[in-house]
Amino acid sequence: MRWRGGVAFGFVLVGAVSCSSVDDRAVADEAAAFLRALQKGDGAGACARLLPRAAESLESGGKACADEVLGLDVAVGGVRGVEVWGDHALVRAGGQAVFLSRWGPGWRVAAAGCEARPDEPYACEVEA
Amino acid sequence: MRRFLRDNGLTLFFLLLTVLALVGQAFAGHARYNERQVAGGGGTVSLWHFVTSAEFAVDVTENWQSEYLQFFLYIFMTVWLVQRGSPESKEIGKEGTESDEDQQVGRYAGPDAPRWARVGGVRGPLFSRSLGLTMGALFLASWFAQSVAGRFAYNGDRLAERQETVSWVGYVVSADFWNRSLQNWQSEFLAVASMVWLSIFLRQRGSPESKPVGAPRGATGVEG
């Protein structure tokens, strides 16, 4: 559901709010590609789909993202649900959540391997 | 053309200011939004993307609704409440909707009166309250728009903070919705109270919002 406002602001906003399946598809494709790369053991491919800051978080102490990302506890099930709100999105897959952020014309994974916690933000294996 | 500009100068001036302020808000809001995006490790967005986003819409509509609420309340409350000495108030003792003769409606309507001021049925009473009702409707519409846009923006923020999103009902009972609403309302109410009270003592020569400069302090409902 991507919010796109109506032109300018001489508007009735109710009619200007719409859900964009284009963003939904792009987000689902990006998340699926990330999870597929992990499943195939393609660490470099998975890291290329992370936000730069998320990839950098795996590179502390001279470690390589491509090696570290394959050791994360990320469930690689199929994509079930997609939520897009503005420039941020949530995808549910394999009992976990993957968060994505808009990056240029597309999307990148901002956090993965995320487990829900009561009354607290998700706890993620990797995040920007 | 010059006559049109002169006859409509007040409306046109404020419409122009509205557009200029919106353009300024768009540039400033865009820069601030991208600062937040970068701080959160995300990507920047274009100006067009920003001005068609919920983030921009909620910032605009939260101010619109409070302005229309202010005028809606002011129009209706000045029917029933007065302030001695203020040109913003009508004369003491005239509280209420006043007589048909005072309001020049029905059989007291002049030849140039709007047609709906002369007719009975639903149209007469509706036209008699059309200014307040329109302001009230604009308030409700822009407040609803704020709730819709605000939910989109809020849910985007929630996802950026790795939290679950909320429903529309969940949003309209949230602290974010009421903080946005009340912070605007309090400033509008203070501005109205200040205007009503200060205009008892202070003057602005030539302005219909003020009493004539030489009018006594106790003169009520007198415009300069």
Side-chain angles (χ1 to χ4, degrees), chain B residues 31-86:
Chain B
R32 178 176 166 273
Y33 183 74
N34 276 342
E35 282 175 6
R36 285 177 51 201
Q37 283 288 100
V38 170
T44 57
V45 300
S46 69
L47 180 64
W48 176 249
H49 181 93
F50 175 72
V51 297
T52 58
S53 72
E55 285 77 11
F56 186 59
V58 69
D59 287 348
V60 170
T61 53
E62 75 172 48
N63 285 279
W64 285 9
Q65 59 86 5
S66 67
E67 303 300 335
Y68 286 121
L69 173 65
Q70 174 198 150
F71 282 114
F72 165 70
L73 288 177
Y74 198 49
I75 290 162
F76 272 102
M77 296 319 293
T78 49
V79 174
W80 299 98
L81 300 178
V82 293
Q83 173 59 58
R84 186 179 299 279
S86 176

Side-chain angles (χ1 to χ4, degrees), chain A:
Chain A
M1 287 182 286
R2 163 74 184 131
W3 194 94
R4 299 303 293 172
V7 280
F9 280 94
F11 65 93
V12 178
L13 190 132
V14 189
V17 171
S18 64
C19 302
S20 166
S21 59
V22 175
D23 275 334
D24 282 17
R25 268 199 306 277
V27 164
D29 288 349
E30 185 65 23
F34 171 75
L35 295 173
R36 211 164 37 242
L38 288 181
Q39 198 169 25
K40 289 193 303 185
D42 177 11
C47 285
R49 296 186 181 280
L50 287 171
L51 279 180
R53 189 173 295 178
E56 286 163 14
S57 73
L58 296 174
E59 292 171 344
S60 58
K63 296 170 185 167
C65 176
D67 297 331
E68 293 298 307
V69 74
L70 296 176
L72 300 176
D73 183 17
V74 177
V76 290
V79 169
R80 284 192 296 109
V82 177
E83 282 189 63
V84 180
W85 298 93
D87 299 320
H88 302 278
L90 166 66
V91 168
R92 296 178 203 284
Q96 291 183 333
V98 178
F99 291 87
L100 297 97
S101 291
R102 195 179 295 277
W103 184 261
W107 293 83
R108 291 270 188 101
V109 173
C114 301
E115 301 276 358
R117 294 181 296 180
D119 302 323
E120 279 190 83
Y122 278 78
C124 302
E125 284 284 298
V126 58
E127 64 183 317

Side-chain angles (χ1 to χ4, degrees), chain B residues 2-55:
Chain B
R2 285 184 66 178
R3 183 175 172 182
F4 175 83
L5 291 176
R6 189 200 66 187
D7 289 354
N8 298 283
L10 195 55
T11 302
L12 292 173
F13 173 73
F14 279 101
L15 282 178
L16 178 65
L17 281 189
T18 302
V19 172
L20 292 176
L22 269 175
V23 170
Q25 182 186 346
F27 279 99
H30 176 235
R32 178 176 166 273
Y33 183 74
N34 276 342
E35 282 175 6
R36 285 177 51 201
Q37 283 288 100
V38 170
T44 57
V45 300
S46 69
L47 180 64
W48 176 249
H49 181 93
F50 175 72
V51 297
T52 58
S53 72
E55 285 77 11

